[in-house]
Amino acid sequence: MQRADYLMSQLDVLEAESIHIIREVAAEFERPVLLFSGGKDSIVMLRLAEKAFAPAPIPFPVMHVDTGHNFDEVIEYRDRKVAELGLRLVVASVQEAIDTGLVVEQKGRRASRNSLQTVPLLNAIEKHEFTAAFGGARRDEEKARAKERVVSFRDEFGQWDPKNQRPELWNLYNTKIHRGEHVRVFPISNWTELDIWDYIRREEIELPGIYFSHTRQVFERDGMLLADLPPANRGEDEPVFDAVVRYRTVGDISCTGAVKSTASTLDDIIEEIQATRITERGATRADDRASEAAMEDRKKEGYF
């Protein structure tokens, strides 16, 4: 009798762990929601949710915290993917929060709406009574996320307290909350940027075009290349030039930098990531460069 080979690849192990987390949360919580921005991490998370419940549809909605300063390619992809899968899309609008006086828009050259996402997010969670929100954070991204639990407790104000998190023994997760509280759930916590790209290649997942090399008008600010688009507030002393670039991460136009790259295929990108010594957020996110504690501050306020 031939002996079966039960060895699993690294990607198989990560996929199985993530699917287990998604199924566990869907079973334990009354109203989960998946945070979906159209970025590569949330796209992978959406594929994992598809596989977790196939052939049935994904049993919860997706939500995008929309700053109003997104790349057109990303919004087009988001809307097309939601329609393709027949999902319900909840949009938490930063512009709406500004218009109603809930938040005050920053002024000046380096103004960004990235930090204004907390209030619309928490309002949407309260309005729709979501009890669990799937997020695409990974522990390899930076220090604040490295200390995060897979199931991360948020109090009745939506705040994260690192001293008030539950122990996680093996793959056992504490899903008990009181009314008004919720949890953030990070199914891809143990993935790396390289794992994400390897999985995208294996699963043949379509991505927005800005992840691949293209020619774009950019300008340099604080050592980063920003797109010459209105939300970036380019000054007269910041000359525009054409560059061959791509985006390693996708976010608000005002604080998301491009990297010079000729990587036009998945194989090219994976080879590039294998060789780089700079993290994706360190290379491309101006808001996280502001201080080492920038991400942790936003987590405590309730965004991440």
Side-chain angles (χ1 to χ4, degrees), residues 222-284:
D222 301 329
M224 298 179 61
L225 299 178
L226 298 181
D228 183 29
L229 295 170
N233 298 316
R234 181 178 64 85
E236 293 183 0
D237 58 338
E238 296 174 315
V240 177
F241 57 93
D242 288 337
V244 178
V245 300
R246 74 175 191 87
Y247 286 85
R248 285 178 68 182
T249 187
V250 169
D252 192 274
I253 289 172
S254 62
C255 60
T256 302
V259 295
K260 290 184 178 180
S261 172
T262 58
S264 58
T265 67
L266 290 175
D267 289 341
D268 292 340
I269 291 174
I270 289 171
E271 184 177 347
E272 184 179 271
I273 297 299
Q274 288 173 330
T276 189
R277 292 295 178 266
I278 303 176
T279 66
E280 62 181 294
R281 299 194 75 87
T284 62

Coordinates of all heavy atoms in Angstrom, one line a residue, residues 222-284:
D222 N 10.5 64.7 1.3 CA 11.0 63.9 2.4 C 11.6 62.6 2.0 O 11.4 61.6 2.7 CB 9.9 63.7 3.5 CG 9.4 65.0 4.0 OD1 10.1 66.0 4.1 OD2 8.2 65.0 4.4
G223 N 12.2 62.5 0.8 CA 12.8 61.3 0.3 C 11.8 60.3 -0.3 O 12.2 59.2 -0.6
M224 N 10.6 60.7 -0.4 CA 9.6 59.8 -1.0 C 9.0 60.4 -2.3 O 9.0 61.6 -2.5 CB 8.4 59.6 0.0 CG 8.9 58.9 1.3 SD 7.5 58.7 2.4 CE 6.5 57.6 1.5
L225 N 8.5 59.5 -3.2 CA 7.9 59.9 -4.4 C 6.4 59.9 -4.3 O 5.8 58.8 -4.2 CB 8.4 59.0 -5.6 CG 9.9 59.0 -5.9 CD1 10.2 58.0 -7.0 CD2 10.4 60.3 -6.2
L226 N 5.8 61.1 -4.4 CA 4.4 61.2 -4.3 C 3.8 61.5 -5.6 O 4.4 62.2 -6.4 CB 4.0 62.3 -3.3 CG 4.4 62.1 -1.8 CD1 3.9 63.2 -1.0 CD2 3.9 60.7 -1.3
A227 N 2.6 61.0 -5.9 CA 1.9 61.2 -7.2 C 1.5 62.7 -7.2 O 1.0 63.3 -6.3 CB 0.7 60.3 -7.3
D228 N 1.6 63.2 -8.4 CA 1.2 64.6 -8.6 C -0.3 64.7 -8.8 O -0.8 64.9 -10.0 CB 2.0 65.2 -9.8 CG 1.6 66.7 -10.0 OD1 1.3 67.4 -9.0 OD2 1.7 67.2 -11.2
L229 N -1.0 64.5 -7.7 CA -2.5 64.6 -7.7 C -2.9 65.6 -6.7 O -2.2 65.8 -5.7 CB -3.0 63.2 -7.5 CG -2.8 62.1 -8.5 CD1 -3.2 60.8 -8.1 CD2 -3.5 62.5 -9.8
P230 N -4.1 66.2 -6.8 CA -4.5 67.3 -5.9 C -4.3 67.0 -4.4 O -3.9 67.8 -3.6 CB -5.9 67.5 -6.3 CG -6.0 67.2 -7.7 CD -5.0 66.1 -7.9
P231 N -4.7 65.8 -3.9 CA -4.6 65.5 -2.5 C -3.2 65.6 -1.9 O -3.0 65.8 -0.7 CB -5.1 64.1 -2.3 CG -6.0 63.9 -3.5 CD -5.4 64.6 -4.6
A232 N -2.1 65.5 -2.8 CA -0.8 65.5 -2.3 C -0.3 67.0 -2.0 O 0.8 67.1 -1.4 CB 0.2 64.9 -3.3
N233 N -1.0 68.0 -2.4 CA -0.7 69.4 -2.1 C 0.7 69.7 -2.5 O 1.5 70.3 -1.7 CB -0.9 69.7 -0.6 CG -2.4 69.5 -0.2 OD1 -3.3 69.9 -0.9 ND2 -2.6 68.8 0.9
R234 N 1.1 69.5 -3.7 CA 2.5 69.8 -4.2 C 2.7 71.3 -4.1 O 1.9 72.1 -4.5 CB 2.7 69.3 -5.6 CG 4.1 69.5 -6.1 CD 4.3 68.9 -7.5 NE 3.4 69.6 -8.5 CZ 3.7 70.7 -9.1 NH1 4.9 71.3 -8.9 NH2 2.9 71.2 -10.0
G235 N 3.9 71.6 -3.6 CA 4.3 73.0 -3.5 C 5.1 73.4 -4.8 O 5.5 72.6 -5.6
E236 N 5.2 74.8 -5.0 CA 5.9 75.3 -6.2 C 7.4 74.9 -6.2 O 8.0 74.9 -7.3 CB 5.7 76.8 -6.3 CG 4.3 77.2 -6.5 CD 4.2 78.7 -6.7 OE1 5.2 79.4 -6.6 OE2 3.0 79.2 -6.9
D237 N 7.9 74.6 -5.0 CA 9.3 74.3 -4.9 C 9.6 72.8 -5.1 O 10.7 72.3 -4.8 CB 9.9 74.8 -3.6 CG 9.2 74.2 -2.4 OD1 8.0 73.8 -2.6 OD2 9.8 74.2 -1.3
E238 N 8.5 72.0 -5.4 CA 8.6 70.6 -5.6 C 8.3 70.2 -7.1 O 7.2 70.0 -7.5 CB 7.6 69.9 -4.7 CG 7.9 70.1 -3.2 CD 6.8 69.5 -2.3 OE1 5.6 69.7 -2.6 OE2 7.1 68.9 -1.3
P239 N 9.4 70.2 -7.9 CA 9.2 70.0 -9.3 C 8.7 68.6 -9.7 O 9.0 67.6 -9.0 CB 10.6 70.1 -9.9 CG 11.5 69.9 -8.7 CD 10.8 70.3 -7.5
V240 N 7.8 68.5 -10.7 CA 7.3 67.3 -11.2 C 8.2 66.7 -12.2 O 8.8 67.4 -13.0 CB 5.9 67.5 -11.8 CG1 5.3 66.2 -12.4 CG2 4.9 68.1 -10.8
F241 N 8.3 65.3 -12.2 CA 9.0 64.6 -13.2 C 8.4 63.3 -13.5 O 7.6 62.8 -12.6 CB 10.5 64.5 -12.9 CG 10.7 63.8 -11.5 CD1 10.9 62.4 -11.5 CD2 10.7 64.5 -10.3 CE1 11.1 61.8 -10.3 CE2 10.9 63.9 -9.1 CZ 11.1 62.5 -9.1
D242 N 8.6 62.7 -14.6 CA 8.1 61.4 -15.0 C 9.1 60.3 -14.4 O 10.3 60.5 -14.5 CB 8.0 61.2 -16.5 CG 6.9 62.0 -17.1 OD1 5.9 62.3 -16.3 OD2 6.9 62.3 -18.3
A243 N 8.6 59.3 -13.8 CA 9.4 58.2 -13.3 C 8.7 56.9 -13.5 O 7.4 56.8 -13.5 CB 9.7 58.4 -11.8
V244 N 9.5 55.8 -13.6 CA 8.9 54.5 -13.7 C 8.9 53.9 -12.3 O 9.9 53.7 -11.6 CB 9.8 53.6 -14.6 CG1 9.3 52.2 -14.7 CG2 9.9 54.2 -16.0
V245 N 7.6 53.7 -11.8 CA 7.4 53.4 -10.4 C 6.3 52.3 -10.3 O 5.7 52.0 -11.2 CB 7.0 54.6 -9.6 CG1 8.0 55.7 -9.7 CG2 5.6 55.2 -10.1
R246 N 6.2 51.8 -9.1 CA 5.1 51.0 -8.7 C 4.8 51.3 -7.2 O 5.6 51.9 -6.5 CB 5.3 49.5 -8.9 CG 6.3 48.9 -8.0 CD 6.4 47.4 -8.2 NE 7.1 46.7 -7.1 CZ 6.5 46.2 -6.0 NH1 5.2 46.4 -5.9 NH2 7.2 45.6 -5.1
Y247 N 3.7 50.8 -6.7 CA 3.3 51.0 -5.3 C 3.4 49.6 -4.6 O 2.9 48.6 -5.0 CB 1.9 51.5 -5.2 CG 1.8 53.0 -5.5 CD1 1.7 53.4 -6.9 CD2 2.0 54.0 -4.6 CE1 1.7 54.7 -7.2 CE2 1.9 55.3 -4.9 CZ 1.8 55.7 -6.2 OH 1.8 57.0 -6.6
R248 N 4.1 49.6 -3.4 CA 4.2 48.4 -2.6 C 3.0 48.3 -1.7 O 2.6 47.2 -1.3 CB 5.5 48.4 -1.8 CG 6.8 48.1 -2.6 CD 8.0 48.2 -1.7 NE 8.1 47.2 -0.7 CZ 9.1 47.1 0.2 NH1 10.1 47.9 0.2 NH2 9.1 46.1 1.1
T249 N 2.4 49.4 -1.3 CA 1.2 49.4 -0.5 C 0.3 50.5 -1.0 O 0.8 51.5 -1.7 CB 1.6 49.7 1.0 OG1 0.4 49.5 1.8 CG2 2.2 51.0 1.2
V250 N -0.9 50.5 -0.7 CA -1.9 51.4 -1.3 C -2.7 52.1 -0.1 O -3.1 51.4 0.8 CB -2.9 50.7 -2.2 CG1 -4.1 51.6 -2.5 CG2 -2.2 50.3 -3.5
G251 N -2.8 53.4 -0.1 CA -3.5 54.1 0.9 C -3.9 55.5 0.4 O -4.1 55.7 -0.8
D252 N -4.0 56.4 1.3 CA -4.3 57.8 1.0 C -3.2 58.4 0.1 O -2.1 58.3 0.3 CB -4.5 58.6 2.2 CG -5.1 59.9 2.0 OD1 -4.4 60.9 1.7 OD2 -6.4 60.0 2.2
I253 N -3.7 59.1 -1.0 CA -2.7 59.7 -2.0 C -1.8 60.6 -1.3 O -0.6 60.7 -1.7 CB -3.5 60.4 -3.1 CG1 -4.2 59.4 -4.0 CG2 -2.6 61.3 -3.9 CD1 -5.2 60.1 -5.0
S254 N -2.2 61.3 -0.3 CA -1.4 62.3 0.3 C -0.2 61.8 1.1 O 0.8 62.5 1.4 CB -2.2 63.2 1.3 OG -2.7 62.3 2.4
C255 N -0.2 60.5 1.5 CA 0.9 60.0 2.3 C 1.4 58.6 1.8 O 2.2 58.0 2.5 CB 0.5 59.9 3.7 SG -0.9 58.8 4.0
T256 N 1.0 58.2 0.6 CA 1.5 56.9 0.1 C 2.5 57.2 -1.0 O 2.1 57.7 -2.1 CB 0.3 56.1 -0.4 OG1 -0.6 55.9 0.6 CG2 0.8 54.7 -0.9
G257 N 3.7 56.7 -0.8 CA 4.8 57.0 -1.8 C 4.9 55.8 -2.7 O 4.7 54.6 -2.4
A258 N 5.4 56.1 -3.9 CA 5.8 55.1 -4.9 C 7.2 54.8 -4.8 O 8.0 55.5 -4.1 CB 5.5 55.6 -6.3
V259 N 7.6 53.6 -5.3 CA 9.1 53.2 -5.3 C 9.5 53.1 -6.8 O 8.7 52.6 -7.6 CB 9.3 51.9 -4.5 CG1 9.0 52.1 -3.1 CG2 8.5 50.8 -5.1
K260 N 10.7 53.5 -7.1 CA 11.2 53.3 -8.4 C 11.4 51.8 -8.7 O 12.0 51.1 -7.9 CB 12.6 54.0 -8.6 CG 12.4 55.5 -8.6 CD 13.8 56.2 -8.9 CE 13.6 57.7 -8.9 NZ 14.9 58.4 -9.2
S261 N 10.8 51.3 -9.8 CA 10.8 49.9 -10.0 C 10.4 49.6 -11.5 O 9.6 50.3 -12.1 CB 9.8 49.2 -9.1 OG 9.6 47.8 -9.4
T262 N 11.1 48.6 -12.0 CA 10.7 48.1 -13.3 C 10.0 46.8 -13.3 O 9.9 46.1 -14.3 CB 12.0 48.0 -14.2 OG1 12.9 47.1 -13.6 CG2 12.6 49.3 -14.4
A263 N 9.6 46.4 -12.1 CA 8.9 45.1 -11.9 C 7.5 45.1 -12.5 O 6.6 45.7 -11.9 CB 8.9 44.7 -10.4
S264 N 7.3 44.5 -13.6 CA 6.0 44.5 -14.3 C 5.3 43.2 -14.2 O 4.2 43.1 -14.7 CB 6.3 44.9 -15.7 OG 7.1 43.9 -16.4
T265 N 5.8 42.2 -13.6 CA 5.2 40.9 -13.4 C 5.3 40.4 -12.0 O 6.1 41.0 -11.2 CB 5.8 39.8 -14.3 OG1 7.1 39.5 -13.9 CG2 5.9 40.2 -15.8
L266 N 4.5 39.4 -11.6 CA 4.5 38.9 -10.3 C 5.9 38.3 -9.9 O 6.4 38.5 -8.8 CB 3.4 37.9 -10.1 CG 2.0 38.4 -10.0 CD1 1.0 37.2 -9.9 CD2 1.8 39.3 -8.9
D267 N 6.5 37.7 -10.9 CA 7.8 37.1 -10.7 C 8.9 38.2 -10.4 O 9.7 38.1 -9.5 CB 8.3 36.3 -11.9 CG 7.5 35.0 -12.0 OD1 7.0 34.5 -11.0 OD2 7.5 34.4 -13.1
D268 N 8.7 39.3 -11.2 CA 9.6 40.4 -11.0 C 9.5 41.0 -9.6 O 10.5 41.4 -8.9 CB 9.4 41.5 -12.0 CG 9.8 41.1 -13.4 OD1 10.6 40.2 -13.6 OD2 9.2 41.7 -14.4
I269 N 8.2 41.2 -9.2 CA 8.0 41.8 -7.8 C 8.5 40.9 -6.7 O 9.1 41.4 -5.8 CB 6.4 42.0 -7.7 CG1 6.0 43.1 -8.6 CG2 6.1 42.4 -6.2 CD1 4.5 43.4 -8.6
I270 N 8.3 39.6 -6.8 CA 8.8 38.7 -5.8 C 10.3 38.7 -5.7 O 10.9 38.8 -4.6 CB 8.2 37.3 -6.1 CG1 6.7 37.2 -5.8 CG2 9.0 36.2 -5.2 CD1 6.1 35.9 -6.2
E271 N 10.9 38.8 -6.9 CA 12.4 38.9 -6.9 C 12.9 40.2 -6.2 O 13.8 40.2 -5.5 CB 12.9 38.8 -8.3 CG 14.4 38.8 -8.4 CD 14.9 38.6 -9.9 OE1 14.1 38.3 -10.7 OE2 16.1 38.9 -10.1
E272 N 12.1 41.3 -6.5 CA 12.5 42.6 -5.9 C 12.3 42.6 -4.4 O 13.1 43.1 -3.6 CB 11.5 43.6 -6.5 CG 11.8 45.0 -6.1 CD 10.9 46.0 -6.8 OE1 11.3 46.5 -7.9 OE2 9.8 46.3 -6.3
I273 N 11.2 42.0 -3.9 CA 10.9 41.9 -2.5 C 11.9 41.1 -1.7 O 12.4 41.4 -0.6 CB 9.5 41.4 -2.2 CG1 8.4 42.3 -2.8 CG2 9.2 41.2 -0.7 CD1 8.4 43.7 -2.2
Q274 N 12.4 40.0 -2.4 CA 13.4 39.1 -1.8 C 14.7 39.9 -1.5 O 15.4 39.6 -0.6 CB 13.6 37.9 -2.7 CG 12.5 36.9 -2.6 CD 12.6 35.8 -3.6 OE1 13.2 36.0 -4.7 NE2 12.1 34.6 -3.3
A275 N 15.0 40.8 -2.4 CA 16.3 41.5 -2.3 C 16.2 42.8 -1.5 O 17.3 43.2 -1.0 CB 16.7 41.9 -3.7
T276 N 15.1 43.3 -1.2 CA 15.0 44.6 -0.5 C 15.3 44.5 1.0 O 15.0 43.4 1.6 CB 13.6 45.3 -0.7 OG1 13.7 46.6 -0.2 CG2 12.5 44.5 0.0
R277 N 15.8 45.5 1.6 CA 16.1 45.5 3.0 C 15.3 46.6 3.7 O 15.5 46.9 4.9 CB 17.6 45.8 3.3 CG 18.5 44.6 2.8 CD 18.2 43.3 3.6 NE 19.0 42.2 3.2 CZ 18.5 41.3 2.4 NH1 17.3 41.4 1.8 NH2 19.3 40.3 2.0
I278 N 14.3 47.2 3.0 CA 13.5 48.3 3.5 C 12.0 47.8 3.6 O 11.5 47.2 2.6 CB 13.5 49.5 2.7 CG1 15.0 50.0 2.5 CG2 12.6 50.6 3.3 CD1 15.1 51.2 1.6
T279 N 11.4 47.9 4.8 CA 10.0 47.5 4.9 C 9.1 48.3 4.0 O 9.4 49.4 3.6 CB 9.5 47.6 6.4 OG1 9.4 49.0 6.7 CG2 10.4 46.9 7.3
E280 N 7.9 47.7 3.7 CA 7.0 48.4 2.8 C 6.5 49.7 3.4 O 6.4 50.7 2.7 CB 5.9 47.5 2.3 CG 5.0 47.0 3.5 CD 3.9 46.1 3.0 OE1 3.0 46.6 2.2 OE2 3.9 44.9 3.3
R281 N 6.2 49.7 4.7 CA 5.7 50.9 5.3 C 6.8 52.0 5.4 O 6.6 53.2 5.3 CB 5.0 50.6 6.6 CG 3.8 49.7 6.5 CD 3.0 49.7 7.8 NE 2.2 50.9 7.9 CZ 1.0 51.0 7.3 NH1 0.5 50.0 6.6 NH2 0.3 52.1 7.5
G282 N 8.0 51.5 5.7 CA 9.1 52.4 5.8 C 9.5 53.1 4.5 O 9.9 54.2 4.5
A283 N 9.2 52.4 3.5 CA 9.6 52.9 2.1 C 8.5 53.7 1.5 O 8.7 54.6 0.7 CB 9.9 51.7 1.2
T284 N 7.2 53.5 2.0 CA 6.1 54.1 1.2 C 5.1 54.9 2.0 O 4.2 55.5 1.4 CB 5.4 53.0 0.4 OG1 4.8 52.1 1.4 CG2 6.3 52.3 -0.5

